[in-house]
Amino acid sequence: MRVILAEDSTLLREGLVRLLAEEGYDVLAAVDNAPDLITATAEHQPDIVVTDVRMPPTHNDDGLKAALQIRREWPDIGVLVLSQYVENRYATELITSTAGRVGYLLKDRVAQVDEFLEALGRVAAGGTAFDPEVVRQLLTRTTHVDPLERLTPREKQVLALMAQGLTNARISEVLHVSQSASEKHINAIFDKLGLARSTGLSRRVVAVVKYLGS
């Protein structure tokens, strides 16, 4: 799997390069600013880009804006965004801009190496990976309060796991229920939120998060 990294912290950037190389990823470039990220992406056409949110040239949200540009110009390239905290506006725009190949993790999650690698692999394979805290904040800030109040506590748990990008089988494992039970909860969630059912996990997750973030 071919990867480009964008992170202005030298220590973290070099640590990620070493980690990914050890895991068999081909790190094509490791840059420290958003313009170089765009240039490297255009040149190498990687399978996935991993980028920080805040980095040069303005040290504001350059990395996240670059991620959005990559999604627009090269939709087949996966994007995994790393951030110190949730940038609500842009997180919603990024998540709802695509039917897959996207992830948003808080940097604390990178310290959990297995979780980080699982999320990276999921995005690279065409899926989605959203940090539980990102999902929680999107759920909290949503203006669609009444429909969410119609969900049972268990359905809210399932919705949060769906929004993280977990498959039905993985949801069943996390909640210690049968897969048929998970599917029943998921169908009930779509019915209560007025969302049409879809056959693809990525389309389903994007529909849910788009609804919550609109």
Side-chain angles (χ1 to χ4, degrees), residues 136-158:
R136 187 192 69 77
Q137 291 197 31
L138 289 177
L139 284 167
T140 300
R141 295 174 184 179
T142 179
T143 58
H144 296 278
V145 177
D146 291 341
L148 289 178
E149 288 301 317
R150 298 174 60 194
L151 302 183
T152 66
R154 175 63 85 183
E155 288 166 353
K156 289 179 180 178
Q157 285 182 303
V158 173

CSV table of all heavy atoms in Angstrom, one decimal, residues 136-158:
chain,number,residue,atom,x,y,z
A,136,ARG,N,-19.0,11.2,18.7
A,136,ARG,CA,-19.8,11.7,19.9
A,136,ARG,C,-20.1,13.2,19.7
A,136,ARG,O,-21.2,13.6,20.0
A,136,ARG,CB,-19.0,11.5,21.1
A,136,ARG,CG,-19.8,11.8,22.4
A,136,ARG,CD,-18.9,11.8,23.6
A,136,ARG,NE,-18.0,13.0,23.6
A,136,ARG,CZ,-18.4,14.2,23.9
A,136,ARG,NH1,-19.6,14.5,24.3
A,136,ARG,NH2,-17.5,15.2,23.9
A,137,GLN,N,-19.1,14.0,19.3
A,137,GLN,CA,-19.3,15.4,19.2
A,137,GLN,C,-20.3,15.8,18.1
A,137,GLN,O,-21.1,16.7,18.2
A,137,GLN,CB,-18.0,16.1,19.0
A,137,GLN,CG,-17.1,16.1,20.3
A,137,GLN,CD,-16.0,17.1,20.2
A,137,GLN,OE1,-16.1,18.2,19.7
A,137,GLN,NE2,-14.9,16.8,20.9
A,138,LEU,N,-20.2,15.0,17.0
A,138,LEU,CA,-21.2,15.3,15.9
A,138,LEU,C,-22.6,14.9,16.4
A,138,LEU,O,-23.6,15.6,16.0
A,138,LEU,CB,-20.8,14.4,14.7
A,138,LEU,CG,-19.6,14.9,13.9
A,138,LEU,CD1,-19.3,13.9,12.7
A,138,LEU,CD2,-19.7,16.3,13.4
A,139,LEU,N,-22.7,13.9,17.1
A,139,LEU,CA,-24.0,13.5,17.7
A,139,LEU,C,-24.5,14.6,18.6
A,139,LEU,O,-25.7,14.9,18.6
A,139,LEU,CB,-23.9,12.1,18.4
A,139,LEU,CG,-23.9,10.9,17.5
A,139,LEU,CD1,-23.4,9.7,18.4
A,139,LEU,CD2,-25.2,10.6,16.9
A,140,THR,N,-23.6,15.1,19.5
A,140,THR,CA,-24.0,16.1,20.5
A,140,THR,C,-24.4,17.4,19.8
A,140,THR,O,-25.4,18.0,20.2
A,140,THR,CB,-22.9,16.3,21.4
A,140,THR,OG1,-22.5,15.1,22.1
A,140,THR,CG2,-23.2,17.4,22.5
A,141,ARG,N,-23.7,17.8,18.7
A,141,ARG,CA,-24.0,19.1,18.1
A,141,ARG,C,-25.1,19.1,17.0
A,141,ARG,O,-25.4,20.1,16.5
A,141,ARG,CB,-22.7,19.6,17.5
A,141,ARG,CG,-21.6,19.8,18.5
A,141,ARG,CD,-20.3,20.2,17.9
A,141,ARG,NE,-19.2,20.4,18.9
A,141,ARG,CZ,-18.0,20.6,18.6
A,141,ARG,NH1,-17.6,20.8,17.3
A,141,ARG,NH2,-17.1,20.8,19.5
A,142,THR,N,-25.6,17.9,16.7
A,142,THR,CA,-26.6,17.8,15.6
A,142,THR,C,-27.8,18.6,16.0
A,142,THR,O,-28.2,18.7,17.2
A,142,THR,CB,-27.0,16.4,15.4
A,142,THR,OG1,-28.0,16.4,14.3
A,142,THR,CG2,-27.6,15.7,16.6
A,143,THR,N,-28.4,19.3,15.0
A,143,THR,CA,-29.6,20.0,15.2
A,143,THR,C,-30.9,19.1,15.1
A,143,THR,O,-32.0,19.6,15.4
A,143,THR,CB,-29.7,21.2,14.2
A,143,THR,OG1,-29.7,20.6,12.9
A,143,THR,CG2,-28.6,22.1,14.4
A,144,HIS,N,-30.7,17.9,14.6
A,144,HIS,CA,-31.8,17.0,14.5
A,144,HIS,C,-32.0,16.2,15.8
A,144,HIS,O,-31.8,15.0,15.9
A,144,HIS,CB,-31.5,16.0,13.3
A,144,HIS,CG,-31.4,16.7,12.0
A,144,HIS,ND1,-32.5,17.0,11.3
A,144,HIS,CD2,-30.3,17.1,11.3
A,144,HIS,CE1,-32.1,17.6,10.1
A,144,HIS,NE2,-30.8,17.6,10.2
A,145,VAL,N,-32.5,16.9,16.8
A,145,VAL,CA,-32.6,16.3,18.1
A,145,VAL,C,-33.8,15.4,18.2
A,145,VAL,O,-33.7,14.3,18.7
A,145,VAL,CB,-32.8,17.4,19.2
A,145,VAL,CG1,-33.0,16.8,20.5
A,145,VAL,CG2,-31.6,18.4,19.2
A,146,ASP,N,-35.0,15.7,17.7
A,146,ASP,CA,-36.2,14.9,17.8
A,146,ASP,C,-36.0,13.5,17.3
A,146,ASP,O,-36.3,12.5,17.9
A,146,ASP,CB,-37.4,15.6,17.3
A,146,ASP,CG,-37.8,16.8,18.1
A,146,ASP,OD1,-37.4,16.9,19.2
A,146,ASP,OD2,-38.5,17.7,17.5
A,147,PRO,N,-35.5,13.3,16.0
A,147,PRO,CA,-35.4,12.0,15.5
A,147,PRO,C,-34.4,11.1,16.3
A,147,PRO,O,-34.7,10.0,16.5
A,147,PRO,CB,-34.8,12.2,14.1
A,147,PRO,CG,-35.3,13.6,13.7
A,147,PRO,CD,-35.3,14.4,15.0
A,148,LEU,N,-33.3,11.7,16.8
A,148,LEU,CA,-32.4,11.0,17.6
A,148,LEU,C,-33.0,10.5,18.9
A,148,LEU,O,-32.7,9.5,19.5
A,148,LEU,CB,-31.1,11.8,17.9
A,148,LEU,CG,-30.2,12.0,16.7
A,148,LEU,CD1,-29.0,12.9,17.1
A,148,LEU,CD2,-29.7,10.7,16.1
A,149,GLU,N,-33.9,11.4,19.5
A,149,GLU,CA,-34.6,11.0,20.7
A,149,GLU,C,-35.5,9.8,20.5
A,149,GLU,O,-35.9,9.2,21.5
A,149,GLU,CB,-35.4,12.2,21.2
A,149,GLU,CG,-34.6,13.3,21.8
A,149,GLU,CD,-33.7,12.9,22.9
A,149,GLU,OE1,-34.2,12.1,23.8
A,149,GLU,OE2,-32.5,13.2,22.9
A,150,ARG,N,-35.9,9.5,19.3
A,150,ARG,CA,-36.7,8.4,19.0
A,150,ARG,C,-35.9,7.0,19.1
A,150,ARG,O,-36.5,6.0,19.2
A,150,ARG,CB,-37.4,8.5,17.7
A,150,ARG,CG,-38.3,9.7,17.5
A,150,ARG,CD,-38.8,9.8,16.1
A,150,ARG,NE,-39.5,8.6,15.6
A,150,ARG,CZ,-39.8,8.3,14.4
A,150,ARG,NH1,-39.4,9.1,13.4
A,150,ARG,NH2,-40.5,7.2,14.1
A,151,LEU,N,-34.6,7.1,19.1
A,151,LEU,CA,-33.8,5.9,19.1
A,151,LEU,C,-33.7,5.4,20.6
A,151,LEU,O,-33.6,6.2,21.5
A,151,LEU,CB,-32.4,6.2,18.6
A,151,LEU,CG,-32.3,6.7,17.2
A,151,LEU,CD1,-30.8,6.9,16.8
A,151,LEU,CD2,-33.0,5.9,16.2
A,152,THR,N,-33.7,4.1,20.7
A,152,THR,CA,-33.4,3.5,22.0
A,152,THR,C,-32.0,3.6,22.4
A,152,THR,O,-31.1,3.9,21.5
A,152,THR,CB,-33.8,2.0,22.0
A,152,THR,OG1,-32.9,1.3,21.1
A,152,THR,CG2,-35.2,1.7,21.5
A,153,PRO,N,-31.6,3.4,23.6
A,153,PRO,CA,-30.2,3.5,24.0
A,153,PRO,C,-29.3,2.5,23.2
A,153,PRO,O,-28.2,2.9,22.8
A,153,PRO,CB,-30.2,3.1,25.5
A,153,PRO,CG,-31.6,3.6,26.0
A,153,PRO,CD,-32.5,3.3,24.8
A,154,ARG,N,-29.8,1.3,23.0
A,154,ARG,CA,-29.1,0.3,22.2
A,154,ARG,C,-28.9,0.8,20.7
A,154,ARG,O,-27.8,0.7,20.1
A,154,ARG,CB,-29.7,-1.0,22.2
A,154,ARG,CG,-29.1,-2.1,21.3
A,154,ARG,CD,-27.7,-2.4,21.7
A,154,ARG,NE,-27.7,-3.4,22.8
A,154,ARG,CZ,-26.6,-3.8,23.4
A,154,ARG,NH1,-25.4,-3.3,23.1
A,154,ARG,NH2,-26.6,-4.7,24.3
A,155,GLU,N,-30.0,1.4,20.2
A,155,GLU,CA,-29.9,1.9,18.8
A,155,GLU,C,-28.9,3.1,18.7
A,155,GLU,O,-28.2,3.2,17.7
A,155,GLU,CB,-31.2,2.3,18.3
A,155,GLU,CG,-32.2,1.2,18.0
A,155,GLU,CD,-33.6,1.5,17.8
A,155,GLU,OE1,-34.0,2.7,18.1
A,155,GLU,OE2,-34.4,0.7,17.5
A,156,LYS,N,-28.8,3.9,19.7
A,156,LYS,CA,-27.8,5.0,19.7
A,156,LYS,C,-26.4,4.4,19.8
A,156,LYS,O,-25.5,4.9,19.1
A,156,LYS,CB,-28.1,5.9,20.9
A,156,LYS,CG,-29.3,6.8,20.8
A,156,LYS,CD,-29.5,7.6,22.0
A,156,LYS,CE,-30.8,8.5,21.9
A,156,LYS,NZ,-31.0,9.3,23.0
A,157,GLN,N,-26.2,3.3,20.5
A,157,GLN,CA,-24.9,2.7,20.5
A,157,GLN,C,-24.5,2.2,19.2
A,157,GLN,O,-23.4,2.3,18.7
A,157,GLN,CB,-24.9,1.5,21.5
A,157,GLN,CG,-24.9,1.9,23.0
A,157,GLN,CD,-24.8,0.6,23.9
A,157,GLN,OE1,-25.7,-0.2,23.8
A,157,GLN,NE2,-23.8,0.5,24.7
A,158,VAL,N,-25.5,1.5,18.5
A,158,VAL,CA,-25.3,1.0,17.2
A,158,VAL,C,-25.0,2.1,16.2
A,158,VAL,O,-24.1,2.0,15.4
A,158,VAL,CB,-26.5,0.1,16.7
A,158,VAL,CG1,-26.3,-0.3,15.3
A,158,VAL,CG2,-26.6,-1.1,17.6
